Amino acid sequence: MAARAFDLAVLGGGITGISAALHARHLLGPTARITLIDRAPRLGGWIKSERVSVPPASSPSSPSSVLLECGPRTLRPVGLPGAATVALVHSLGLSDAMVSVPRDSASARNRSVLLHDTVHALPTSLSAVLRATINPKSPMYGIVPAIIRDLVHGPSLAAERAQSHASGNHGDVSLDTLLSSRFSPAVVNQLVSAIVHGIYAGNPASLSARATFTTLDRAEQAGGGSIVRGLLRLLVRGRNERAAAEAATIERQVVAGTTDQDGVRRAWDRVKGASIYSVQGGLEAIVRAAASKLEADGIDVRLNAAIEGITEGNVNGVPHTIRFQDASAVTARHIIAALPTPALHGMLSSPSPALTELATTTPAVNVAVTNIVFRTADLPAAVLARTNGFGLLSPRNKGPATDPHLLGIIYDSAAVRGLAEPEFTKFTVMMGGHYWSQGPVPTEAEAARRAVASARRHLCIPEWSRAEPVVVRSSVLGSCIPQYAPGHCERVATVREQEGARRIWVAGAWFDGVGVNDCVLSGRNAAAAIVAVS
């Protein structure tokens, strides 16, 4: 049977692929032949919201249920990536379903670090910062003197950047190198590593400063060796001009590329001042709405479609041929690859040298996500008060009573009060990440046992209380968060140059940022790149 021909094949049905396919339809028009391909049985990738039945204590015959997020759970309405996601949400008819969290809420203000077996609330005022900096037990101990040292005589990173160039990392250094040299190893071990655990589940010693904390890397160079001086130059001066420039960029790159510009503006204005937001029904509501939109837009969606290999076409009109394991095939003039770098590298018959290098320098980590649900009435009032915030993060410095692989605990019920189900109190425990880079990964049953033990210990849920979880659901997400090594940004740029020359466009978490917003914008940009050369 002849291979079906398409103008564009989008590989990967996660949020990046969804964003790319829908935006490509908008830009290329209704006659463009577009297919979206994924080997999984469902769209959405790591976004997964699940409603689980729970028999109520009062009447076991009439079960109730609770909504669990097994992957990403909230979105940040910040900058161009945040606006791109809001535009997508609006285009799917979900603007009224957005549930935002104000910046002055407990969720936004109350964030903690678990250091040496003790939960420390991060300070939210200058006076609290000053108290924390002289408290040897605080994760922010010594932060103010460290800032002053950096501001007065930040040491040069010239030698480290020269070594980076010599090693082929383009002057990029690890986050550990950048911040330990500016402040102190203690600041990184006690505070920065906790933040990194929450975002990347990674080790600051291995992550690219330029790719993960871009603003800090730029600040160090703009400040002549001082991050604080550089931040003052970048962030304080010209604040109004920067805000106006960002608004103009959002208007030009996001709003102008939509069919309902006024509606997108209203949706963005509604949430842009919030700390975070989600949507009714969980983030997978976005995926479900997108599935309906893909069908309505006439986009061919192929699930359970495992790719055997890809024979690359050329710029002279020969299309790419995508072969499936069931012996079928399709052809496409353009490919948007929203896939893990090693997977794409293994599919292509002749991957570019740059893609080969990126695939071998970008590992990924495994993370266990365990949802734990208690009946609210069973929890002591002190526990509910203590967990009225966003959550806690665990740094590299751990006490003897802390699970050595704990990354953090999210207080789900308090994080987004608008989605709370008062009968239940939900927590999510995250474990693994870079700690599981060497050695075996625990089973889901073992991860669940350790997660419950950590929640009880660090949330101070007494063993003698009647509080027992009514739901414990653990998932070990394999290779779910790529770890950007020093030199990542430059390697990605070279991949785009080499693969783009033959009409293969890369996008997604393995290239442009691990957050949902990053992926949505990356997919949009890939679609726009096709239009630019068509």
Side-chain angles (χ1 to χ4, degrees):
M1 184 169 61
R4 189 175 173 188
F6 291 92
D7 298 303
L8 168 63
V10 179
L11 312 184
I15 195 64
T16 305
I18 289 170
S19 173
L22 291 174
H23 199 53
R25 169 60 77 215
H26 173 72
L27 295 176
L28 298 174
T31 61
R33 299 164 298 172
I34 302 172
T35 184
L36 175 61
I37 301 166
D38 199 293
R39 67 178 301 157
R42 56 177 286 276
L43 294 171
W46 299 118
I47 297 177
K48 185 179 181 182
S49 311
E50 184 177 8
R51 184 157 286 281
V52 178
S53 295
V54 182
S58 58
S59 176
S61 62
S62 55
S64 56
S65 64
V66 63
L67 181 68
L68 305 180
E69 292 282 18
C70 307
R73 60 208 58 234
T74 57
L75 303 167
R76 293 185 67 235
V78 176
L80 186 62
T85 301
V86 169
L88 174 63
V89 170
H90 178 76
S91 73
L92 298 175
L94 295 175
S95 290
D96 291 339
M98 294 190 299
V99 180
S100 60
V101 176
R103 290 182 180 175
D104 61 354
S105 68
S107 171
R109 290 184 289 104
N110 299 340
R111 302 182 181 223
S112 303
V113 170
L114 174 65
L115 180 64
H116 302 312
D117 300 329
T118 302
V119 177
H120 300 265
L122 292 178
T124 56
S125 67
L126 178 58
S127 60
V129 170
L130 294 176
R131 289 194 299 271
T133 195
I134 60 174
N135 178 5
K137 297 181 179 180
S138 169
M140 297 191 69
Y141 176 60
I143 188 71
V144 171
I147 289 173
I148 294 172
R149 283 196 305 273
D150 171 81
L151 184 61
V152 174
H153 49 77
S156 172
L157 273 181
E160 289 87 345
R161 293 196 184 278
Q163 178 60 42
S164 171
H165 278 293
S167 303
N169 292 332
H170 307 278
D172 191 10
V173 297
S174 73
L175 189 60
D176 213 335
T177 297
L178 177 68
L179 296 180
S180 292
S181 62
R182 290 298 160 292
F183 303 110
S184 71
V187 169
V188 177
N189 289 332
Q190 298 178 176
L191 181 62
V192 175
S193 63
I195 297 170
V196 171
H197 283 168
I199 302 172
Y200 296 97
N203 186 350
S206 304
L207 290 171
S208 157
R210 189 170 296 162
T212 59
F213 286 77
T214 307
T215 298
L216 297 183
D217 184 72
R218 290 176 178 170
E220 187 273 333
Q221 298 182 67
S226 167
I227 291 177
V228 177
R229 189 184 307 119
L231 286 173
L232 292 173
R233 291 175 179 174
L234 292 175
L235 301 180
V236 176
R237 297 179 183 176
R239 179 181 301 174
N240 293 335
E241 291 82 353
R242 278 197 322 280
E246 179 179 273
T249 300
I250 290 172
E251 182 72 21
R252 183 177 64 256
Q253 295 189 24
V254 175
V255 177
T258 62
T259 55
D260 180 13
Q261 296 183 11
D262 288 340
V264 172
R265 292 188 189 101
R266 286 193 298 271
W268 178 238
D269 287 341
R270 178 180 165 188
V271 298
K272 69 180 181 182
S275 170
I276 54 175
Y277 72 100
S278 186
V279 295
Q280 295 286 349
L283 291 191
E284 196 172 353
I286 298 173
V287 176
R288 292 191 293 269
S292 299
K293 185 75 161 61
L294 290 164
E295 181 180 1
D297 282 0
I299 294 172
D300 175 72
V301 177
R302 296 171 179 240
L303 300 177
N304 295 301
I307 296 175
E308 179 72 26
I310 300 172
T311 301
E312 297 88 335
N314 59 47
V315 294
N316 297 322
V318 176
H320 308 292
T321 300
I322 302 167
R323 305 182 309 280
F324 299 100
Q325 291 181 2
D326 65 1
S328 64
V330 298
T331 63
R333 292 185 60 247
H334 297 273
I335 288 176
I336 293 178
L339 298 171
T341 312
L344 176 61
H345 181 266
M347 292 174 184
L348 295 175
S349 60
S350 57
S352 66
L355 184 63
T356 299
E357 181 183 10
L358 188 63
T360 57
T361 57
T362 311
V365 295
N366 309 302
V367 177
V369 177
T370 303
N371 303 108
I372 304 173
V373 183
F374 293 90
R375 296 189 193 282
T376 302
D378 291 346
L379 288 171
V383 173
L384 298 176
R386 192 179 300 114
T387 58
N388 184 24
F390 189 82
L392 65 85
L393 294 172
S394 176
R396 288 192 300 210
N397 278 11
K398 299 185 189 299
T402 300
D403 190 293
H405 300 157
L406 179 66
L407 300 171
I409 304 175
I410 305 300
Y411 309 155
D412 291 307
S413 294
V416 185
R417 284 291 184 191
L419 296 180
E421 297 161 286
E423 183 180 351
F424 302 107
T425 297
K426 302 180 288 186
F427 303 102
T428 299
V429 179
M430 300 173 295
M431 286 185 167
H434 68 98
Y435 294 119
W436 292 346
S437 296
Q438 305 291 331
V441 175
T443 64
E444 291 183 346
E446 174 63 12
R449 184 192 66 78
R450 291 166 61 179
V452 171
S454 292
R456 280 195 172 279
R457 181 180 303 117
H458 302 303
L459 305 183
C460 300
I461 301 173
E463 291 290 345
W464 49 260
S465 75
R466 62 175 182 167
E468 290 293 336
V470 293
V471 174
V472 177
R473 186 67 62 90
S474 188
S475 302
V476 176
L477 310 182
S479 299
C480 61
I481 305 180
Q483 305 292 290
Y484 303 152
H488 176 82
C489 295
E490 290 75 15
R491 293 188 189 100
V492 169
T494 306
V495 168
R496 287 206 158 101
E497 179 183 350
Q498 294 181 1
E499 295 295 350
R502 51 186 188 170
R503 296 173 286 111
I504 298 175
W505 316 94
V506 297
W510 286 73
F511 303 93
D512 298 321
V514 301
V516 172
N517 290 343
D518 301 316
C519 292
V520 170
L521 181 61
S522 181
R524 283 177 61 98
N525 289 343
I530 292 175
V531 175
V533 300
S534 297

